Amino acid sequence: MNAPVISLDNVTVTYNRHPAVHHVSGSLARGSLTAIAGPNGAGKSTLLRAIMGELKPAEGAIRRALPSRDYGYLPQAADINRRFPVSVIDTVVTGAWKRAGAFGGIGRAERQKASEALAAVGLEGFETRPIGSLSAGQFQRTLFARLLLQDASVIILDEPFTAIDSRTTQDLIDIVLHWHDEGRTVVAVLHDHEQVRTHFPQTLLIARELIGWGATEDVMTKHNLSRARALAERWDENAPVCEVTS
Ligand code: ADP
Ligand code: MG
C-alpha cells in the first residue's frame, strides 16, 4: 500500500564531475508529504531534476514506479521564462498535454477544466491575461492551476513559496494539504522551517550528502541543522573531483 513511488539507490549527480548530490539513498512512499530542506547550494534542485529525468546520475540509480505522466513538476521560479507572450489559460492548458499528448485534442472540455482550475486557485477571470503581466503570486497560482489540470499522482515542487506573498502562500499550502488528503504524493523544497514543521510529516535534509530522511521531528533537530550548516560552510567549489567508483 505504501510502496515507493520514487527510489534512490546511492545517487550521485555531478556538474562537470563536481558532485552536487552525493551518495543519496532512500525512497518516497506513495501518499507521503515530504519537505526537502538544506542550505543554498545543497543540491535540492539538482536532486529534483534528477528525479524528473532531466539530469542523469553519475552513479547509482533512480527508479520511478509510475509512468512519467504521473509526475508533476514545478521548477524553481528563477528557471521559468515568463517573457513568452502567452495567456494564463494557455499556460494552464499545457498541464493537460502530459495526459493527452500535445496533439491529443485539447478542446472545450479541457478549457473548461482549466477555467475551473483557475477558479480553484483564486484566479477566476484571469484567462486572457498575458502571464508577463501577473504578480509573482498570481503567476505561482497559475502554475498550481496547471498542476491541478495535469492531475498527477506525484507532485514535485521546487521552492513553491519563495518570493510569494503570505496570502498566496497560505492558499497554496491549503492546495498542497488537499492533494495530500486526496492520497497524492507531494515533495516540496522549502526554506521556512516553521512551514516544514507545521505541515510536512516527512523531511529530507540534504547538504550535498544526506543528513537525514524520515519523520520531520527526527530529522529537523538542532544537531542535524547545524551539521548541514557546517558542511555548507566547508564547501569548496574547487574541491577535487569526486572519484566515481562502480
Ligand atoms: P539548491 O537547489 O539546494 O540551492 P542546486 O541543486 O541548485 O542547490 O545546486 C547545487 C550545486 O550545484 C551548487 O554548487 C550549484 O552552484 C551547482 N550547480 C547547479 N546547477 C548547475 C549547473 N547547471 N552547472 C554547474 N553547476 C551547477
Ligand atoms: Mg534550488
Side-chain angles (χ1 to χ4, degrees):
M1 216 173 78
N2 284 331
V5 291
I6 294 164
S7 316
L8 307 173
D9 178 16
N10 190 30
V11 171
T12 292
V13 188
T14 60
Y15 295 107
N16 310 316
R17 301 188 64 217
H18 291 282
V21 168
H22 218 182
H23 303 303
V24 172
S25 294
S27 61
L28 282 167
R30 186 181 299 245
S32 55
L33 176 56
T34 306
I36 298 185
N40 283 329
K44 304 180 296 296
S45 297
T46 301
L47 184 64
L48 296 189
R49 292 180 62 206
I51 286 172
M52 291 308 293
E54 286 183 10
L55 298 170
K56 202 172 139 3
E59 191 185 356
I62 299 175
R63 212 177 64 83
R64 296 193 289 171
L66 306 170
S68 76
R69 67 168 180 278
D70 282 315
Y71 295 81
Y73 171 50
L74 179 63
Q76 218 171 319
D79 296 338
I80 302 174
N81 186 349
R82 273 225 278 156
R83 299 226 174 81
F84 281 115
V86 249
S87 67
V88 165
I89 187 105
D90 285 340
T91 302
V92 174
V93 158
T94 61
W97 286 3
K98 273 214 164 181
R99 271 191 295 114
F103 306 100
I106 286 169
R108 254 182 146 61
E110 293 295 354
R111 290 196 164 259
Q112 179 57 37
K113 275 195 208 151
S115 281
E116 286 164 19
L118 280 171
V121 298
L123 289 181
E124 209 165 357
F126 275 68
E127 282 79 353
T128 60
R129 281 276 294 272
I131 54 167
S133 74
L134 302 177
S135 70
Q138 289 166 341
F139 185 56
Q140 199 70 330
R141 287 174 190 263
T142 302
L143 296 177
F144 267 65
R146 180 164 75 171
L147 286 168
L148 283 172
L149 204 67
Q150 187 184 335
D151 196 23
S153 58
V154 182
I155 298 166
I156 296 171
L157 308 167
D158 198 345
E159 296 199 27
F161 312 131
T162 298
I164 301 293
D165 61 279
S166 61
R167 175 72 203 275
T168 299
T169 299
Q170 196 47 59
D171 288 353
L172 297 182
I173 285 177
D174 288 345
I175 291 175
V176 165
L177 297 176
H178 183 64
W179 281 334
H180 178 54
D181 288 343
E182 289 177 321
R184 299 179 205 265
T185 310
V186 184
V187 189
V189 174
L190 297 176
H191 278 299
D192 184 331
H193 292 173
E194 204 50 47
Q195 274 168 7
V196 173
R197 291 199 176 91
T198 309
H199 301 295
F200 288 73
Q202 303 283 312
T203 298
L204 185 170
L205 178 62
I206 188 171
R208 300 201 178 169
E209 58 188 78
L210 195 59
I211 307 285
W213 191 353
T216 296
E217 73 259 31
D218 299 337
V219 172
M220 295 294 275
T221 59
K222 255 197 178 128
H223 172 77
N224 281 347
L225 291 169
S226 67
R227 201 173 143 230
R229 245 191 327 269
L231 278 171
E233 277 158 17
R234 283 214 309 271
W235 285 335
D236 176 357
E237 297 298 337
N238 300 310
V241 293
C242 170
E243 288 309 321
V244 174
T245 52
S246 50

